[in-house]
Amino acid sequence: MNIRQLPEVLINQIAAGEVVERPASVVKELVENALDAGARRIDIDLEEGGVRLIRIRDDGGGIAPEQLPLAVSRHATSKIASMEDLEAVASLGFRGEALPSVASVSRFRLVSRARDAQHGAELRIDGGSLGEVVPQAHPQGTTVEVRDLFYNVPARRKFLRAERTELTHIEDWLRTLALARPDVELRVTHNGKPSRRWKGEGDLLSELRLHEALGEDFARNVLRVEHSAAGMRLHGWIAQPAYNRASTDQQYLYVNGRSVRDRNVAHAVRQAYSDVLFHGRHPAYVLFLELDPRGVDVNVHPAKHEVRFRESRLVHEFVYRALHEALAETRAGTGHAVSGANTGAAAQAWPLPQAPQQQPMGLRVSDAPAAYAALYTPRGGDAVMPSAPLPSLATMPEDAPGGMPPLGFA
Ligand SMILES: Nc1ncnc2c1ncn2[C@@H]1O[C@H](COP(=O)(O)OP(=O)(O)OP(=O)(O)O)[C@@H](O)[C@H]1O
Ligand SMILES: [Mg+2]
């Protein structure tokens, strides 16, 4: 058999197989690009569950006309330039493959006007074949339009579900995002009608957003977590044990702002809840873990749903301790529920529950290496794990569900 080089379009379609499973994956990639471009407001127009149309418009930094062909080229990115950049990556994207992948399996249009540019420009791609860059009026920012997803990949199209199901996957993803980025306004329309609006609310996750995303019962039964040690910080919200779920559907974990599933962290959370929850019930939480980006490898999954911690036992111990402490307060009867009854007053003074005791450690990511060293380096030796006994990882079931709501990805 002759070996031959595959055509570029087919290469992109193969890559799309990993990254683009359904409309929700396209929305994820495009919205992440908008966030990386510094958008404060993102408009998401959908038709037929996103299968017929996904149009995402942002007010971010935009793309210069001469860069449009590069934006849709494989392995072209403005986000990293070296291995050092990759190891400390702070942007959501870094692979330089989302746009070419999406464009190879749809009718695709990219319109953008860069900050301070006089004019906008447009580039169309139909099933991977590239058009010309032409002038096009556009406010500052970018619009990406994706029509007829998988029209040229019948095998994939067959796996798309009913409009309602695809829309639900998109909404689930947007909820995940809305919890992490309360500072960004998201407006969603479906089949020409407004379907959801997340108002921009400042930098901190507010009661209003928590309530909107997870419902009143969660907001009523929530405990605030704020814990730092060893250059790591865990903050967010966990449900009191009395509020528990039959599934892992309300488990939101963000590592340095990125929504991920992580078996290690999910296990630590389960362990912290182990003596306060009935068997078969699951805790609900929205947790943000922050640590030195060099301590996390984000390049382990094509759609970036997973990360790998360099010090996974340390992370496990840290999360377990933080939550165990927070829950101990409820056991002692000192936990405070947050009233979620009156969401209209959410922006006003909000009686935050007492945060668990914090250890006095620096929170800045730049402090992390020193903090690690101070805590875990014996005199003259290499960094080691803390001497306190760690919860056993041996009990971690292989197929334990992770900490993210189902996106519908395999
Ligand atoms: N909405 C946007 N606003 C401004 N620039 C954008 C936007 N979308 C894409 N770009 C530019 O196009 C480039 C390619 O985007 P693409 O999503 O393909 O790759 P990436 O985001 O760099 O990496 P990844 O494949 O991991 O998402 C980006 O690096 C960015 O410079
Ligand atoms: Mg991207």
Side-chain angles (χ1 to χ4, degrees), residues 28-34 36 77 79 92-99 304:
K28 172 185 184 289
E29 292 298 337
L30 300 184
V31 170
E32 287 187 349
N33 279 346
D36 282 346
T77 178
K79 299 172 192 176
L92 295 165
F94 53 84
R95 299 168 59 101
E97 9 177 61
L99 292 188
K304 314 182 191 85

Side-chain angles (χ1 to χ4, degrees), residues 211-407:
H211 180 286
E212 271 184 86
L214 296 175
E216 186 174 330
D217 277 356
F218 178 85
R220 265 182 196 286
N221 286 286
V222 90
L223 292 169
R224 184 140 170 72
V225 175
E226 174 63 72
H227 190 90
S228 333
M232 290 182 278
R233 177 183 178 208
L234 185 74
H235 61 108
W237 309 90
I238 60 173
Q240 307 218 40
Y243 177 88
N244 52 66
R245 313 280 299 170
S247 73
T248 58
D249 63 336
Q250 289 193 342
Q251 301 190 344
Y252 296 84
L253 171 69
Y254 304 83
V255 175
N256 290 345
R258 186 187 301 279
S259 164
V260 294
R261 305 182 275 246
D262 187 76
R263 217 188 283 157
N264 184 44
V265 171
H267 180 265
V269 177
R270 254 199 327 277
Q271 194 143 18
Y273 271 93
S274 63
D275 51 358
V276 289
L277 271 195
F278 284 116
H279 187 70
R281 301 298 297 179
H282 300 272
Y285 54 85
V286 179
L287 286 172
F288 301 90
L289 175 62
E290 282 158 28
L291 70 167
D292 185 343
R294 285 163 297 187
V296 198
D297 190 353
V298 294
N299 185 29
V300 295
H301 188 286
K304 314 182 191 85
H305 296 314
E306 288 166 20
V307 292
R308 190 178 297 136
F309 295 107
R310 295 206 203 299
E311 302 261 23
S312 62
R313 282 181 147 269
L314 187 58
V315 169
H316 187 284
E317 166 75 0
F318 172 70
V319 171
Y320 170 76
R321 290 249 163 112
L323 300 190
H324 190 73
E325 248 177 60
L327 289 165
E329 294 193 5
T330 63
R331 272 191 299 257
T334 57
H336 306 249
V338 173
S339 164
N342 183 3
T343 54
Q348 294 164 18
W350 182 23
L352 287 182
Q354 193 95 44
Q357 284 294 303
Q358 288 181 43
Q359 295 180 32
M361 292 288 301
L363 295 187
R364 281 169 315 188
V365 152
S366 55
D367 294 341
Y372 271 107
L375 268 180
Y376 300 129
T377 306
R379 268 153 298 165
D382 292 332
V384 294
M385 294 300 301
S387 53
L390 293 173
S392 164
L393 290 184
T395 55
M396 270 173 71
E398 273 307 295
D399 58 352
M404 203 171 111
L407 232 192

